[in-house]
Each structure stands twice: as structure tokens, then as C-alpha cells.
Amino acid sequence: MNRESAQVNPAVLERLRLRFRMLDRDGDGYLEGEDFDQLAAEVLGAMGEPTESAKGRAVLAGHRRFWEGLRATLDADGDGRISPDEYVARLGDPGEAERNTADYARSLAALADRDDDGFITLDDFLTIMAAIGFARSNSATLFQKLDESGDGRVPVERWATTIMDYYRAEGTDVPIHVLTAPVADA
């Protein structure tokens, strides 16, 4: 059954569509391995991290594992790419989403921790989020929600878990849902 034809929360459906658009880096309407390579390169470039560094290699590998997991799970017709319909109709197993995104999430969070102190600052957070394609205002709102101590830092593990929540959550009750809110600076 196509998810769009089922009774799906419109906010969840919009989040699925947004996620697809963010991952479709070349804008051809399909997710392919090259999209994930391009996303990794853009994030690394924004952070000034060389691809041959330990963090660079982890980000590249995390993006590649993310793609391979999605392809194995969602490519219903076996053509080596994922259409919007395949993405929306077949995505949804929270355990599968976590397995597919764990390395991706952890490598992004570690990359954002430039000084390796276990925390991410607002500037580094906004840099990565902009490289992915999220609106600055929504990203800043999310950072505030994640900065529970109010000290201007988010623990790396908190951010990694939040990224995984973004890909596994079916509801709209997770903090990262603010990324799909309407914005003026999109």
C-alpha cells in the first residue's frame, strides 16, 4: 500500500518528502549512491574537514552505509535507485531506520565536534545543517531545544540520537520535527 494513499499524518508525510529532497542532491528525482557521496563531500567541505582524515573517512563511510541500507530496504523494483514513491511507501520500520542511519548520525555528530570535547557549538551545528540544506532559523530553533543545559552546547550523543530520531520517528513529537516548519529564510 502506498503511504500517500493510506491515512498518514500530513506533517509526517511532509517530513518524508523533505527528507527525500534533502537526500536527492542532484535533484533528478531519485536517490542514488552518488547523492550520498555528494552530501558527504558537501558536509566535509563546509566543515573544512579533509576526506582523508579519520573524521572524513567516517563521514564518507557513514553516508555510504546509509545509502546501502536504504537501497537494500527501499528499492522495491531493484533498479539500484529509490524513487519518491518507494521512499514514502516502504519507509517506516524504526529498527531498520536506526540500523541504516547509526553510522551516518554518529559521524555527522562527531564531525560537528571540531575540538573533540564531546559537545557541539551553535556555529558548527548551523554550518552542518546549512550544508545539508536545512533553513538556518529552523536549525537554530532545534539547537535551542537540544541545548537542555542552556550553555550553548549540545552533547555529541544527543545530536546523534536526534538524527536517528529524524529518520525513524513516524510521529511529530520529536524535537527535530521543527526542521519541517515553515520558514521565511528557506
Side-chain angles (χ1 to χ4, degrees):
M1 171 186 281
N2 185 315
R3 219 175 248 233
E4 291 194 54
S5 65
Q7 294 292 354
V8 176
N9 179 326
V12 171
L13 189 55
E14 181 54 31
R15 187 172 64 226
L16 289 171
R17 289 180 181 142
L18 175 65
R19 289 185 338 205
F20 186 92
R21 288 190 307 268
M22 293 286 178
L23 294 171
D24 181 16
R25 300 313 275 192
D26 63 10
D28 70 352
Y30 293 92
L31 300 183
E32 299 153 313
E34 294 80 15
D35 291 313
F36 292 78
D37 294 341
Q38 183 178 342
L39 177 58
E42 290 171 7
V43 169
L44 289 169
M47 295 298 286
E49 187 69 34
T51 57
E52 59 277 352
S53 72
K55 284 185 179 183
R57 288 190 309 272
V59 167
L60 291 169
H63 280 72
R64 182 47 68 172
R65 279 189 216 104
F66 186 17
W67 159 245
E68 292 298 331
L70 288 177
R71 186 186 51 75
T73 305
L74 305 180
D75 183 14
D77 62 11
D79 66 355
R81 60 188 190 168
I82 300 167
S83 71
D85 287 341
E86 287 173 319
Y87 190 81
V88 171
R90 302 191 74 213
L91 198 65
D93 175 358
E96 191 69 35
E98 186 165 348
R99 283 186 295 280
N100 290 340
T101 62
D103 291 337
Y104 165 77
R106 289 186 186 107
S107 70
L108 277 181
L111 178 64
D113 179 14
R114 286 190 201 242
D115 61 4
D116 296 321
D117 68 350
F119 294 93
I120 301 165
T121 64
L122 177 61
D123 286 342
D124 291 336
F125 184 83
L126 293 177
T127 298
I128 281 189
M129 296 301 282
I132 294 169
F134 290 107
R136 182 177 179 85
S137 61
N138 288 359
S139 298
T141 299
L142 175 58
F143 186 88
Q144 290 174 344
K145 288 178 178 278
L146 298 175
D147 180 14
E148 294 170 341
S149 66
D151 66 357
R153 305 178 320 155
V154 172
V156 169
E157 262 315 300
R158 173 88 164 109
W159 177 226
T161 299
T162 301
I163 294 170
M164 287 185 275
D165 285 347
Y166 183 68
Y167 287 97
R168 70 176 166 220
E170 290 287 327
T172 59
D173 58 344
V174 293
I176 202 160
H177 180 67
V178 302
L179 292 175
T180 59
V183 293
D185 70 288

